[in-house]
Amino acid sequence: MISSTPQRRSHTPSTPIPVASGIVELRKISKEFPGVRALHDVSLVIEPGEVLGLVGENGAGKSTLIKILGGVYGAGTFKGEVLIAGTQQAFRSTRDARAAGIAVVHQELSLVTEMSIADNLVLGREPSRFGIVDGNRVQAMARDMLVRVLGPDAGAIDLATPVGHLGVGIQQILEIARALADAARVIVLDEPTAALSEREIERLFALIRERRSEGTSFIYISHRLDEVATLCDRVAVMRDGELVGIRGAAAPTDEIISMMTGKELGDVHAPTAGAVVGDPMLQVSKLRVAHPALPDRFVVDGLTFTVHAGEVVALAGAMGAGRTATLSALFGVARSAVTGTVVVDGRPVSLRSPADAIAAGLAFVPEDRKGAGLVLGASVADNLALSALPKLSRLGVVDAARAEHAALARVRELAIKVSGLTVEVATLSGGNQQKVVIGKWLELAPRVLLLDEPTRGVDVGAKVEIYRLIEQLTAQGHAVLLASSDLPEIVRLADRVLVLREGRLAGELCRGAIDPLSIMRLAMSAGQEES
């Protein structure tokens, strides 16, 4: 098992913790989506020349908050007030926010992929001469913007290249260059370093410090707490749509993570009787999945692990850590090149396609059940039969009676609430749809189930039923590899947890030591060492 306290760089906050007024004030911000409270009474102040870290688990409300500040969610779509330099604002669009001095670099990039690098960089601020865009000045402006971010490395970039031909890392740099070129009072950076190299990160931090010294404020969102500690003056912590506190950036990592998770250091998962595990069922060695856009990087890098019969092993980690990429690679649906060795039930296998994975005894429940797990316009019976059509057919023709019998068995076994087998699966609740996605594999009796966010978007009752189903399957000897961002779900289900960070194994936790705080420490802190 791997466990260590992350090393932190010393940092003295340059801004006092009590703050009364600032360049930006958010007052009692609340925002709801259908059936979901995204934000509740969030009040926050950003001082001139401050770098404010904004942290929280996935779904804590960080991105929603900055979309309100950036005008993505306009006035009237939320409750509360946004003030810039003491003046209340009523942004109707992102254009209004930019005009007020707010520049936002979202996780979802907003570049025009068909346009060149130069045209993207100057978009909305094109220099003209006699009403015609001045191409020479466009090139000069774009080059200056890139030089400021990349330094001498900017000279190697062809400004005429369409942005769609670039990797994610350079696209991220272009977004940052556009934001830094604005005469903005506040620049929001949402996970800006996810696709950057160490050299690019150092350059970005130097630019942030330079702009801070000139009075520009930053909101810096990152799951990399070592970066937050190094760069920021204060850290605002969100949980479940609420601001739970603000600390100096020198606050201990354990304190910040405890605030994020709502768990104290000693509030650990009580040891319970784990599953009776059998022989190794899935053995993965040195799994590497190439980055789909950056040829020199990997979204999964050298991952080695084993899942035994009767065992639930959970993959945990922040967004982009490599959880989904690992499951996709094992089921033959990775978006890029995969290397490594996989052994299923003692037999080496080649998993180049879903057909290979199914033949090897693997089943996959994808994160997007509607887009990738179901045929929404088809009946419940047809969806339940999808994965087992060869088994339910004779001479290439589906045996209708046999398929119906199998579907009825699955409906009863999984307690799928449906008025009849001919009902379109699109009409079912989210929980019942998920049961259908799981149920379509059971006729094949797979040796290993790969489950990606198996309870996302289902109600509490359905979630408990799915948990019981997973426990029943492992009791029958199935092996389960589960990817989830729901920490209580992992604590409830997992016999072991593999915590990923940037595609690598950051640590492993075994039942009795599995709790949200320990998972978050491994997922979000640098300096872990194997032991």
Side-chain angles (χ1 to χ4, degrees), residues 322-368:
R323 297 169 303 175
T324 293
T326 298
L327 298 189
S328 298
L330 293 175
F331 198 66
V333 291
R335 295 188 297 140
S336 53
V338 178
T339 59
T341 60
V342 180
V343 176
V344 179
D345 199 11
R347 294 180 295 108
V349 294
S350 175
L351 305 175
R352 295 167 297 180
S353 69
D356 290 341
I358 294 169
L362 275 64
F364 183 36
V365 175
E367 179 181 14
D368 179 9

Side-chain angles (χ1 to χ4, degrees), residues 16 20 41 90 120 141 153 164 222 225 237 283 309 315-316 326 360 379 394 437 448 488 502 523:
D41 277 351
N120 268 278
M141 284 179 59
D153 293 343
S222 179
L225 295 187
V237 184
Q283 296 167 278
L315 299 177
T326 298
S379 68
R394 290 181 179 176
V437 178
V448 181
E502 298 178 9

Side-chain angles (χ1 to χ4, degrees), residues 14 42 165 211 292 324 422:
S14 60
V42 176
H165 294 180
R211 288 292 294 269
T324 293
T422 59

Side-chain angles (χ1 to χ4, degrees), residues 438-474:
I438 297 172
K440 74 179 186 180
W441 294 109
L442 298 187
E443 189 70 20
L444 296 177
R447 306 300 289 151
V448 181
L449 283 87
L450 310 173
L451 307 180
D452 195 359
E453 302 288 358
T455 64
R456 175 168 290 175
V458 306
D459 61 38
V460 174
K463 182 176 290 191
V464 171
E465 291 177 353
I466 292 171
Y467 291 167
R468 288 174 180 164
L469 172 60
I470 293 171
E471 290 163 352
Q472 289 171 7
L473 291 171
T474 53

Side-chain angles (χ1 to χ4, degrees), residues 62-342:
K62 308 182 299 294
S63 293
T64 301
L65 187 66
I66 65 168
K67 285 178 179 177
I68 288 173
L69 177 59
V72 174
Y73 300 134
T77 66
F78 63 91
K79 296 179 181 179
E81 300 176 340
V82 177
L83 290 85
I84 307 296
T87 302
Q88 186 171 345
Q89 307 292 320
F91 299 149
R92 293 167 296 176
S93 66
T94 56
R95 184 185 295 271
D96 289 346
R98 288 196 301 270
I102 308 297
V104 182
V105 177
H106 297 282
Q107 273 185 278
E108 305 84 9
L109 304 180
S110 58
L111 300 168
V112 182
T113 56
E114 295 82 7
M115 295 174 60
S116 70
I117 292 174
D119 289 339
N120 268 278
L121 286 172
V122 303
L123 189 62
R125 67 192 91 185
E126 296 89 345
S128 61
R129 183 185 177 105
F130 305 119
I132 300 174
V133 173
D134 188 330
N136 290 332
R137 289 176 61 195
V138 166
Q139 295 290 311
M141 284 179 59
R143 184 66 66 191
D144 287 344
M145 293 163 70
L146 277 183
V147 166
R148 187 166 192 195
V149 175
L150 293 176
D153 293 343
I157 294 177
D158 182 358
L159 297 178
T161 303
V163 164
H165 294 180
L166 304 174
V168 175
I170 188 63
Q171 289 188 20
Q172 185 78 61
I173 288 169
L174 298 183
E175 286 275 25
I176 293 169
R178 291 202 309 188
L180 293 174
D182 287 332
R185 301 179 180 189
V186 179
I187 298 175
V188 182
L189 301 174
D190 191 357
E191 299 287 358
T193 63
L196 302 187
S197 67
E198 288 299 320
R199 181 175 180 179
E200 291 162 350
I201 291 172
E202 291 176 4
R203 179 68 179 168
L204 172 63
F205 282 13
L207 286 166
I208 291 172
R209 294 186 178 106
E210 178 184 326
R211 288 292 294 269
R212 175 174 59 182
S213 69
E214 298 168 356
T216 302
S217 300
F218 288 84
I219 300 176
Y220 190 86
I221 301 175
S222 179
H223 67 265
R224 300 177 175 180
L225 295 187
D226 53 326
E227 291 184 359
V228 173
T230 298
L231 183 66
C232 299
D233 301 299
R234 296 183 300 148
V235 184
V237 184
M238 297 189 67
R239 184 177 72 243
D240 297 332
E242 298 185 0
L243 179 67
V244 296
I246 299 177
R247 296 290 184 270
T253 297
D254 286 350
E255 179 182 0
I256 298 297
I257 295 176
S258 293
M259 294 170 69
M260 291 167 58
T261 62
K263 303 290 184 181
E264 298 299 329
L265 182 60
D267 186 11
V268 298
H269 174 55
T272 61
V276 178
V277 299
D279 295 330
M281 192 57 59
L282 174 67
Q283 296 167 278
V284 178
S285 179
K286 298 181 180 179
L287 182 69
R288 299 185 92 182
V289 181
H291 195 292
L294 304 174
D296 59 335
R297 300 187 196 174
F298 297 88
V299 291
V300 178
D301 193 358
L303 197 56
T304 297
F305 62 90
T306 298
V307 186
H308 297 82
E311 182 181 38
V312 176
V313 173
L315 299 177
M319 188 178 299
R323 297 169 303 175
T324 293
T326 298
L327 298 189
S328 298
L330 293 175
F331 198 66
V333 291
R335 295 188 297 140
S336 53
V338 178
T339 59
T341 60
V342 180

